[in-house]
Amino acid sequence: MTSSQVAEHAGVSQSAVSRTFTPGASISSKTRQKVLASAKVLGYRPNAIARSLITNRSRIIAVVMAYLENLFYPDVLEELGRALAAENYHLLLFTGFMDRDSDPVFDQLMQYRVDGIILASTSLSSELSEECASAGIPVVLFNRTTERDAVSSVTTRNREGGKRIAEFLVAGGHKSFGYIAGLENSSTNRDRHQGYVEGLAGHGITEIAYEIGNYSRPKRKLRRA
Amino acid sequence: MTSSQVAEHAGVSQSAVSRTFTPGASISSKTRQKVLASAKVLGYRPNAIARSLITNRSRIIAVVMAYLENLFYPDVLEELGRALAAENYHLLLFTGFMDRDSDPVFDQLMQYRVDGIILASTSLSSELSEECASAGIPVVLFNRTTERDAVSSVTTRNREGGKRIAEFLVAGGHKSFGYIAGLENSSTNRDRHQGYVEGLAGHGITEIAYEIGNYSRPKRKLRRA
DNA sequence: CTGAAAGCGCTAACAG
DNA sequence: CTGTTAGCGCTTTCAG
């Protein structure tokens, strides 16, 4: 079903059909009704692909989440899906690859001319971040930060969180302290650790056991709903 | 960056550029190299949107998962992402809406001319399932079954599972039995229940307490990674 | 408000 | 193997 076919059926021009499905386009409600009626009969839906080609906007946002094992991410994903749908955007998900080889992912992603990229649980090589910038594709990091100021990022206040944990433990009367790191060189981990150390330092505590955990646990097997 | 620009830069026809990026196309390796070189310099990537418009294949698979709260689904999603990427397909995710209003979702989904639809944690209204069929879009249900034979589905053997649980409990010497249902009218729940009842019946047990749980638990709040 | 016409970037015959 | 040509389905000037 194409707009031309609908136009023919409705006895109007193809442009009229296009205008019918373009919010705010200049069209009389009479013509509009005719088109809508024909569209319904023929089961017509505008072709988003063709539209994208000419408007240069795909209304697709790429979301890159290397893994979903961390329970936090599915929650985020669901929320993201809801929010994007509300704005009539669509979510192209890239997941299930190791953190290392994200470059080929971007190659794919660029080909779809996505309107924006949300990076969670992965980072962008500086080369690619530059390419996105020069291509005019907005990139936002989620739960990550970076020094490059071209890239926006959304995170929680990890340092504050670490500090509060420290206060909490001290207030609980604890006497010996430790810290189990996540991915050691992630900004998330650095910030939490810093806050924790600072918090304890405020109480004159400097002796803190340290271990690296990498957020690891035995790999989950597929489970049944 | 368009193929024409690359063609000009490389001193070949635009078709040559197209052929360079079409696996199996008839092109000399000399021309190919020239094109590849120019493409690299200019940072060219084929426009998947334009390609889709003419080939009528988007290489996009829509995955519909109403919610991701059940830990099983993120696992599936990750696996799906991996598998699709390996075949050079892309995953358009629809999530974060209530089970009821999935019809508008399909409206969106149809506009993108997806090559196929995977439905998990949601069902398709018969009307839409028909429309997909007539549009030639393959649909597969995941973790759901249906009577309509036009629709394929992938599930685990729930009946067998229910039966085995029964055997297990009996073998453990238990004497009184109960069953907590999930969503009561889902095929998944029906099959498990049936298997469980059958299994127990095999041992002459017919008295089984019954309660509906709806897989519920207090709604999870956003958690930090 | 409406239609005609030009093209978005690409693939797919078609000749050479 | 290569270039030329004709569209894919749509939006967007441009006249009327």
Side-chain angles (χ1 to χ4, degrees):
Chain A
M1 265 312 124
T2 72
S3 58
S4 304
Q5 291 174 282
V6 175
E8 190 173 4
H9 182 106
V12 298
S13 76
Q14 182 266 326
S15 317
V17 178
S18 172
R19 291 189 181 108
T20 299
F21 291 95
T22 306
S26 159
I27 190 164
S28 74
S29 98
K30 205 177 100 214
T31 316
R32 202 183 134 76
Q33 293 313 320
K34 274 200 293 191
V35 171
L36 250 25
S38 298
K40 184 148 217 171
V41 174
L42 303 177
Y44 168 78
R45 272 179 240 271
N47 184 324
I49 302 282
R51 193 202 299 257
S52 299
L53 186 56
I54 194 164
T55 59
N56 246 326
R57 316 179 95 277
S58 60
R59 299 204 77 78
I60 292 179
I61 302 292
V63 174
V64 184
M65 283 189 181
Y67 56 91
L68 304 173
E69 253 175 66
N70 186 326
L71 270 43
F72 175 59
Y73 289 115
D75 260 345
V76 169
L77 197 52
E78 201 179 315
E79 228 36 78
L80 237 32
R82 217 187 311 278
L84 289 176
E87 302 285 344
N88 198 30
Y89 275 94
H90 307 277
L91 193 166
L92 199 60
L93 177 68
F94 293 86
T95 188
F97 57 91
M98 290 311 101
D99 225 339
R100 277 301 103 198
D101 52 3
S102 65
D103 281 30
V105 164
F106 277 89
D107 206 68
Q108 297 294 317
L109 177 159
M110 294 294 290
Q111 298 191 13
Y112 277 92
R113 304 299 194 263
V114 295
D115 288 352
I117 303 174
I118 297 175
L119 291 172
S121 74
T122 192
S123 311
L124 190 51
S125 81
S126 59
E127 189 186 338
L128 285 163
S129 121
E130 224 126 274
E131 191 169 352
C132 290
S134 80
I137 303 180
V139 174
V140 17
L141 298 184
F142 179 78
N143 206 21
R144 286 280 186 288
T145 54
T146 176
E147 287 79 35
R148 348 190 84 258
D149 40 297
V151 187
S152 314
S153 75
V154 175
T155 64
T156 43
R157 300 204 291 152
N158 284 304
R159 193 154 140 248
E160 176 69 14
K163 199 161 186 168
R164 286 206 204 169
I165 291 273
E167 301 296 348
F168 175 77
L169 293 177
V170 169
H174 295 282
K175 298 296 179 206
S176 81
F177 301 84
Y179 179 86
I180 301 177
L183 291 174
E184 208 179 9
N185 56 4
S186 71
S187 59
T188 302
N189 178 67
R190 269 199 312 274
D191 295 347
R192 289 176 191 169
H193 187 221
Q194 191 189 345
Y196 186 65
V197 169
E198 281 173 9
L200 290 179
H203 294 275
I205 298 158
T206 55
E207 199 165 315
I208 307 171
Y210 184 87
E211 203 64 57
I212 300 173
N214 282 329
Y215 306 123
S216 68
R217 56 169 167 169
K219 166 72 183 159
R220 234 154 81 218
K221 296 275 185 246
L222 278 179
R223 274 194 284 245
R224 203 57 208 297
Chain B
M1 266 308 126
T2 73
S3 58
S4 303
Q5 292 174 282
V6 175
E8 189 173 3
H9 182 106
V12 298
S13 76
Q14 182 267 326
S15 318
V17 177
S18 172
R19 290 190 181 105
T20 298
F21 291 95
T22 306
S26 158
I27 190 164
S28 73
S29 98
K30 206 176 100 214
T31 315
R32 203 183 134 75
Q33 292 315 318
K34 272 200 293 191
V35 172
L36 250 25
S38 298
K40 183 148 218 170
V41 174
L42 303 178
Y44 168 78
R45 274 179 240 271
N47 184 325
I49 302 281
R51 193 203 301 257
S52 299
L53 186 56
I54 194 164
T55 59
N56 246 325
R57 316 179 94 277
S58 60
R59 299 204 77 78
I60 292 179
I61 302 291
V63 174
V64 184
M65 283 188 180
Y67 55 91
L68 303 173
E69 253 175 65
N70 186 325
L71 270 43
F72 175 59
Y73 289 116
D75 259 345
V76 169
L77 197 52
E78 200 179 316
E79 228 36 80
L80 237 33
R82 217 189 309 279
L84 289 175
E87 304 284 345
N88 198 29
Y89 274 95
H90 308 276
L91 193 167
L92 199 61
L93 178 68
F94 294 86
T95 189
F97 56 91
M98 291 310 102
D99 225 337
R100 278 301 102 198
D101 52 2
S102 66
D103 281 30
V105 164
F106 277 89
D107 205 69
Q108 296 295 315
L109 176 161
M110 295 294 289
Q111 298 191 13
Y112 276 92
R113 304 300 194 261
V114 296
D115 288 352
I117 303 174
I118 298 175
L119 291 172
S121 74
T122 192
S123 311
L124 191 51
S125 82
S126 59
E127 188 186 339
L128 284 164
S129 123
E130 224 125 273
E131 191 170 352
C132 289
S134 79
I137 303 181
V139 174
V140 17
L141 297 184
F142 179 79
N143 206 22
R144 285 280 184 289
T145 55
T146 176
E147 287 79 36
R148 347 192 86 259
D149 40 298
V151 187
S152 314
S153 75
V154 174
T155 64
T156 43
R157 300 204 291 152
N158 284 304
R159 194 155 141 247
E160 175 70 14
K163 200 163 187 167
R164 286 206 204 167
I165 292 273
E167 301 296 349
F168 175 77
L169 292 177
V170 169
H174 295 282
K175 298 297 178 204
S176 81
F177 302 84
Y179 179 86
I180 301 178
L183 290 172
E184 209 178 9
N185 57 3
S186 70
S187 60
T188 301
N189 177 67
R190 272 200 309 277
D191 294 348
R192 288 177 190 166
H193 187 221
Q194 192 188 345
Y196 186 65
V197 168
E198 281 174 9
L200 291 179
H203 295 276
I205 298 158
T206 55
E207 200 165 314
I208 308 171
Y210 184 87
E211 203 64 57
I212 301 173
N214 283 329
Y215 307 123
S216 67
R217 58 170 163 163
K219 166 72 183 157
R220 236 155 79 220
K221 294 280 185 244
L222 279 178
R223 274 195 284 247
R224 205 57 208 297

